[in-house]
Amino acid sequence: MELTGAEIIVRSLLDLGVRHVFGYPGGSVLHIYDAIFKTPEIQHILCRHEQGAVHAADGYARVTGEVGVALVTSGPGATNALTGLATANMDSIPLVCLTGQVPVDLIGNDAFQEADTVGITRSCTKHNFLVRHVADLARVLREAFHIARTGRPGPVVVDLPKDVTAARCDYVHTDGEVKIRSYNPTVIGNSRQVKKAVAMLLESSRPMIYTGGGVILANAAPELTRFTRLLGAPITNTLMGLGGFPATDPQFVGMLGMHGTYEANMAVSHCDLLVAIGARFDDRVTGKISQFAPSAKIIHVDIDPTSISKNVKVHLPIVGDVKNVLGQMNALLEAQGARDHQPDLKPWWDQIQSWRDKHCLNYTQKQDWIQPQFVIETLNRLTRSEAIVATDVGQHQMWAAQFYPFDRPRYWLTSGGLGTMGYGLPAAMGAKVARPDETVLLITGDGSIQMNIQELATCRQFHIPVKIAILNNNYLGMVRQWQEIFYEGRYSHSHMAFGPDFVKLAEAYGAVGLRATRPEEVEPVIKKALEIDNTVVMDFRVAEESNVYPMVPAGKALNEMILL
Amino acid sequence: MRHVISVLVENEAGVLSRVAGLFAARGFNIESLTVAPAGDEQTSRITLVSEGDDEIIEQIIKQLNKLIPVIHVVDLTEGAHVERELMLVKVTAEKEVRAEVLRIADIFRSRVVDATPNSFMIEVTGDATKLDACLELLKPLGVIELVRTGQVALSRGNRGMIKN
Ligand SMILES: Cc1cc2nc3c(=O)[nH]c(=O)nc-3n(C[C@H](O)[C@H](O)[C@H](O)COP(=O)(O)OP(=O)(O)OC[C@H]3O[C@@H](n4cnc5c(N)ncnc54)[C@H](O)[C@@H]3O)c2cc1C
Ligand SMILES: Cc1ncc(C[n+]2csc(CCOP(=O)(O)OP(=O)(O)O)c2C)c(N)n1
Ligand SMILES: [Mg+2]
């Protein structure tokens, strides 16, 4: 069947199972938009900024595990998409971003709305393609989706010159595996390494499990839960790994790292065996690297060999998909008699209990000002820990991680690696499009929300009722906290002395605005917001100078945490 | 330590910038880099010389492998291998020293590939130390300009880089 390039793109998307595209039109993608117009099976969501479109596709991907799709025009469309791509790349999120490009003959001529998209996006994508011939189009799209979702996932850009989208070519639907001879991620763990790992597990008297985003990406939460039960060890998650193991389970000791719990960081500092699973030893997690897990042997399971021994030298690497490797380890642990000789872990658990007894997340809610932590606790109570929660970046993000427990994977969306303010609203929107029956909460700050607030219009136009909680402290709070602690309180340009009236702003967008200024108003506002079938902006005027504790100061070891 | 790394890649647009971009973005050092088709239309071979401790070289190799169009990466320094580099040097050669230049060229089994009444161009092949040694001797005579290709290398023995 002969089709135009634009029709091939839309047909390929359908054949690849795509039903939602987040995008923004422009000259070089007009053919594609025309094909979309004629294809009711694809729902296109018109965002208000290309960054929003890419974050929305990212949010969609995080909750579904499928490849999110964004479509933007050439030049400024592509450059606006960059922050979204870099955000997805740092967090290994599977995306395909289709970018328009000037016609092949004009490439390199400084043509109108030309940007060297492949050049600019090379270092912030997993891979990118420029399609010069319509005959390559269908194959490249299949390869792009394959690369985005397999191995260590990531964003892939497909740059589409306008003339290629107009040219005609035969389209044949192809099923089956994509084969790229130079791309073959290792997915099964080496069985000798796995055996050695299990032997080390069964010898350890102070084992500690440390898992990250890889467990979520691999859909390996059930295997991880089984593994943790079999071993009986304490487990901590990175910010990206939250929900990989039930947070309300007694074996869970909380998040680790800079704003992790005291018990998690102390356990890592004292364990004799650290099992790192789909986590990448980020500097927010390790603190001072030379004193990270100083008495531990380290086992590291990761699908990406570059993650292994990059920051911390490990004793036993296992390259593979965590779902498989955990399955392999579980099978050995389940084998009869395997655990008979495991040392008694009771002394280790007693020690952990003594750290837990510090109650490191304590805070006091007084009569006057709303404490931000109290808002999150109330949100959690009223949504019964069941909401999908997206955040922006800052103090509110850390409090959300500390005070909203996730028992399931893919309910937590946050920009961890790049730390992109402005991520939250579009990501929440993408999540709600994918999961219309779930409550989707955005926990954001007065600074961050203003970075993509225009997406309120998208929520309104497409009826995407997300619930937005602004922890409004009139500050770039995380910056202010560092200035308070490390710069003797010189608040250089972290005070947002003027902010919009968020209630009126919400109303201007056709959403609902609510405000709470006193502690007793928090609960009624949230209750009301949850009842309304519309996008709701809740403006919580919280204590301005609250700090996130506990905290490992930058460059310090994990056991040098500052407690409140 | 100095490592010679051989990289087999798909012969497609942009591969070289992916490799070079990787080194720049991650702050890895490149002493030399050569690239040319590897005997068929589909693949090219890049030979890279880099300096770094074991951890850095390990990361370089892993990061190269991670690039999608990279088919295979080998650190040739781990085994027996042959290294070659080609240099063209233009030397001043007035009457009195013409014989001296030719004698040096002869010692290094190099060839004169161009001559004028007062200069020679010499082509020298060998490993980097041989080229350096040759250059040392030519310099006092007056080197006008020179160009070196950078190292190329293959492992010794009857096996290729990828098993067929
Ligand atoms: C303000 C701020 C404060 C922060 N504070 C903290 C903090 O206190 N604590 C904290 O933990 N983080 C914190 N972060 C986040 C931090 O920057 C990193 O993003 C995070 O720690 C990385 O998580 P991760 O190690 O799970 O890696 P991810 O980025 O989630 O990477 C996943 C890893 O799993 C691997 N992987 C992917 N798929 C698979 C698979 N199928 N099989 C096997 N492996 C796979 C990947 O190769 C990669 O190595 C903070 C961020 C911000 C913005
Ligand atoms: C795009 C972007 N610019 C700057 C920063 C640096 N930064 C990190 S947290 C923060 C403050 C965020 O303020 P707000 O959204 O109000 O959250 P709060 O910390 O007050 O809860 C800033 C400026 C960033 N992470 N992202
Ligand atoms: Mg703020």
Side-chain angles (χ1 to χ4, degrees):
Chain A
M1 181 179 23
E2 205 184 59
L3 300 177
T4 67
E7 288 162 351
I8 291 175
I9 292 165
V10 171
R11 279 300 300 268
S12 299
L13 292 179
L14 281 175
D15 287 349
L16 286 157
V18 175
R19 291 298 174 270
H20 293 96
V21 172
F22 300 89
Y24 205 99
S28 66
V29 285
L30 282 174
H31 297 317
I32 306 176
Y33 270 88
D34 197 46
I36 286 181
F37 189 84
K38 298 173 191 156
T39 314
E41 302 94 304
I42 290 190
Q43 196 195 349
H44 177 276
I45 286 132
L46 173 64
C47 299
R48 266 38 177 189
H49 189 297
E50 288 86 351
Q51 184 188 349
V54 180
H55 288 325
D58 170 313
Y60 186 93
R62 288 191 206 223
V63 296
T64 59
E66 290 159 25
V67 178
V69 181
L71 168 60
V72 304
T73 192
S74 65
T79 55
N80 269 351
L82 279 184
T83 303
L85 293 169
T87 302
N89 196 48
M90 287 295 270
D91 289 344
S92 305
I93 303 305
L95 285 190
V96 168
C97 181
L98 307 175
T99 55
Q101 184 52 282
V102 302
V104 172
D105 286 350
L106 291 183
I107 290 178
N109 283 16
D110 300 324
F112 176 64
Q113 295 200 323
E114 178 179 1
D116 173 15
T117 302
V118 164
I120 298 172
T121 60
R122 189 173 295 129
S123 59
C124 62
T125 53
K126 180 171 176 184
H127 194 54
N128 57 22
F129 294 92
L130 168 63
V131 183
R132 287 173 171 276
H133 307 286
V134 69
D136 297 334
L137 192 48
R139 175 184 54 80
V140 166
L141 287 169
R142 277 163 48 79
E143 290 186 2
F145 275 74
H146 176 70
I147 290 169
R149 73 171 136 228
T150 55
R152 178 177 183 167
V156 177
V157 162
V158 183
D159 203 23
L160 301 160
K162 186 167 185 181
D163 53 338
V164 172
T165 64
R168 304 184 75 85
C169 176
D170 258 349
Y171 176 77
V172 216
H173 169 82
T174 12
D175 270 328
E177 273 291 285
V178 177
K179 280 248 176 293
I180 303 171
R181 69 162 168 167
S182 59
Y183 174 73
N184 297 294
T186 306
V187 292
I188 308 282
N190 177 296
S191 57
R192 272 218 307 265
Q193 297 289 89
V194 171
K195 259 196 206 128
K196 275 193 212 160
V198 170
M200 287 164 76
L201 294 172
L202 295 177
E203 264 169 28
S204 161
S205 49
R206 297 193 309 281
M208 179 74 193
I209 304 168
Y210 144 54
T211 76
V215 170
I216 313 289
L217 294 163
N219 296 315
E223 288 80 2
L224 176 65
T225 303
R226 181 88 194 113
F227 174 77
T228 309
R229 294 270 151 69
L230 282 168
L231 197 63
I235 176 170
T236 178
N237 292 161
T238 66
L239 183 75
M240 297 308 297
L242 296 174
F245 184 82
T248 51
D249 189 289
Q251 277 177 269
F252 186 65
V253 297
M255 181 172 87
L256 82 168
M258 181 172 277
H259 292 297
T261 64
Y262 183 70
E263 49 269 37
N265 285 338
M266 292 304 277
V268 168
S269 302
H270 287 83
C271 66
D272 66 0
L273 178 70
L274 186 69
V275 195
I277 303 174
R280 59 185 173 82
F281 296 87
D282 184 84
D283 50 83
R284 297 271 135 155
V285 161
T286 58
K288 190 175 182 182
I289 222 112
S290 59
Q291 281 167 45
F292 178 71
S295 36
K297 289 234 157 49
I298 302 178
I299 298 172
H300 189 184
V301 184
D302 203 291
I303 201 160
D304 180 357
T306 69
S307 284
I308 295 179
S309 290
K310 178 170 62 183
N311 302 332
V312 172
K313 192 100 192 119
V314 307
H315 302 86
L316 186 81
I318 303 178
V319 176
D321 186 304
V322 292
K323 195 174 180 75
N324 295 331
V325 176
L326 282 170
Q328 291 169 273
M329 295 204 281
N330 288 346
L332 292 178
L333 286 173
E334 278 162 0
Q336 257 191 345
R339 286 183 63 215
D340 289 354
H341 305 291
Q342 192 185 15
D344 179 14
L345 300 184
K346 177 139 192 319
W348 179 224
W349 275 111
D350 288 345
Q351 198 172 3
I352 286 167
Q353 189 55 48
S354 72
W355 293 320
R356 271 183 170 157
D357 290 342
K358 296 249 183 197
H359 299 288
C360 67
L361 294 178
N362 261 2
Y363 70 95
T364 15
Q365 175 59 61
K366 302 213 193 77
Q367 289 304 303
D368 45 1
W369 281 101
I370 302 172
Q371 286 303 328
Q373 298 94 322
F374 173 70
V375 176
I376 296 173
E377 283 196 322
T378 313
L379 283 167
N380 175 42
R381 182 159 51 78
L382 297 177
T383 57
R384 297 181 306 277
S385 318
E386 282 175 350
I388 293 175
V389 178
T391 76
D392 269 298
V393 172
Q395 293 183 309
H396 63 273
Q397 177 189 27
M398 295 297 110
W399 284 315
Q402 292 175 336
F403 290 91
Y404 201 106
F406 296 94
D407 281 346
R408 295 172 293 179
R410 301 198 178 280
Y411 278 74
W412 167 240
L413 295 78
T414 200
S415 166
L418 200 66
T420 308
M421 289 171 68
Y423 170 77
L425 177 55
M429 211 168 73
K432 184 70 182 172
V433 168
R435 295 277 178 264
D437 298 333
E438 305 262 2
T439 302
V440 177
L441 266 183
L442 167 63
I443 297 174
T444 180
D446 48 315
S448 297
I449 188 66
Q450 294 186 65
M451 284 208 178
N452 270 321
I453 192 134
Q454 76 285 346
E455 298 305 331
L456 281 175
T458 313
C459 289
R460 184 72 181 128
Q461 178 172 343
F462 294 89
H463 188 65
I464 307 170
V466 297
K467 311 296 171 180
I468 302 167
I470 305 176
L471 302 186
N472 187 350
N473 51 13
N474 278 321
Y475 273 102
L476 298 170
M478 186 57 97
V479 173
R480 188 207 53 73
Q481 173 168 349
W482 281 57
Q483 290 171 334
E484 177 187 330
I485 299 176
F486 304 114
Y487 296 87
E488 296 162 332
R490 290 184 297 278
Y491 291 170
S492 181
H493 298 278
S494 53
H495 189 205
M496 305 248 273
F498 177 81
D501 179 332
F502 286 112
V503 171
K504 283 192 187 152
L505 189 59
E507 285 162 2
Y509 276 108
V512 175
L514 302 172
R515 177 171 293 126
T517 50
R518 300 190 47 79
E520 65 273 14
E521 292 166 358
V522 170
E523 180 160 339
V525 159
I526 297 173
K527 276 193 170 146
K528 186 159 178 206
L530 292 174
E531 278 162 14
I532 297 170
D533 182 29
N534 190 354
T535 300
V536 183
V537 177
M538 295 168 269
D539 182 20
F540 295 103
R541 314 307 297 260
V542 297
E544 293 196 342
E545 299 191 32
S546 295
N547 286 336
V548 183
Y549 289 117
M551 175 178 189
V552 180
K556 292 276 171 116
L558 290 188
N559 58 5
E560 298 174 274
M561 286 203 100
I562 312 176
L563 296 172
L564 185 65
Chain B
M1 206 183 114
R2 176 178 166 278
H3 288 253
V4 181
I5 299 166
S6 190
V7 191
L8 207 61
V9 299
E10 296 290 354
N11 185 6
E12 61 184 39
V15 180
L16 187 58
S17 41
R18 287 185 206 280
V19 172
L22 168 71
F23 275 71
R26 299 201 176 257
F28 299 143
N29 126 303
I30 304 186
E31 241 167 59
S32 77
L33 182 154
T34 70
V35 55
D40 57 37
E41 300 243 302
Q42 285 83 44
T43 50
S44 289
R45 195 151 178 148
I46 297 176
T47 310
L48 270 159
V49 179
S50 185
E51 178 87 42
D53 57 29
D54 289 354
E55 278 93 69
I56 292 186
I57 299 295
E58 185 184 328
Q59 262 301 312
I60 289 178
I61 291 173
K62 286 172 168 179
Q63 293 287 356
L64 283 168
N65 264 314
K66 189 170 165 178
L67 296 176
I68 308 287
V70 167
I71 302 165
H72 203 59
V73 185
V74 176
D75 181 356
L76 291 172
T77 335
E78 282 179 349
H81 65 284
V82 177
E83 283 178 35
R84 286 291 179 272
E85 183 174 4
L86 185 143
M87 170 169 73
L88 296 174
V89 210
K90 215 181 270 181
V91 234
T92 37
E94 301 289 353
K95 265 195 208 90
E96 339 57 275
V97 295
R98 288 182 86 81
E100 174 69 5
V101 172
L102 291 176
R103 212 173 49 243
I104 295 171
D106 196 45
I107 296 172
F108 288 94
R109 294 176 200 223
S110 49
R111 297 192 301 150
V112 174
V113 289
D114 184 46
T116 71
N118 53 7
S119 74
F120 283 127
M121 191 196 304
I122 297 172
E123 173 197 315
V124 207
T125 319
D127 61 17
T129 46
K130 174 175 164 188
L131 268 48
D132 291 344
C134 178
L135 206 52
E136 264 327 285
L137 294 186
L138 291 175
K139 263 186 190 155
L141 306 176
V143 169
I144 301 164
E145 63 173 344
L146 65 92
V147 63
R148 298 170 69 148
T149 57
Q151 298 290 316
V152 293
L154 283 181
S155 66
R156 288 187 184 276
N158 60 4
R159 300 250 299 275
M161 189 164 170
I162 31 182
K163 301 147 221 130
N164 286 316

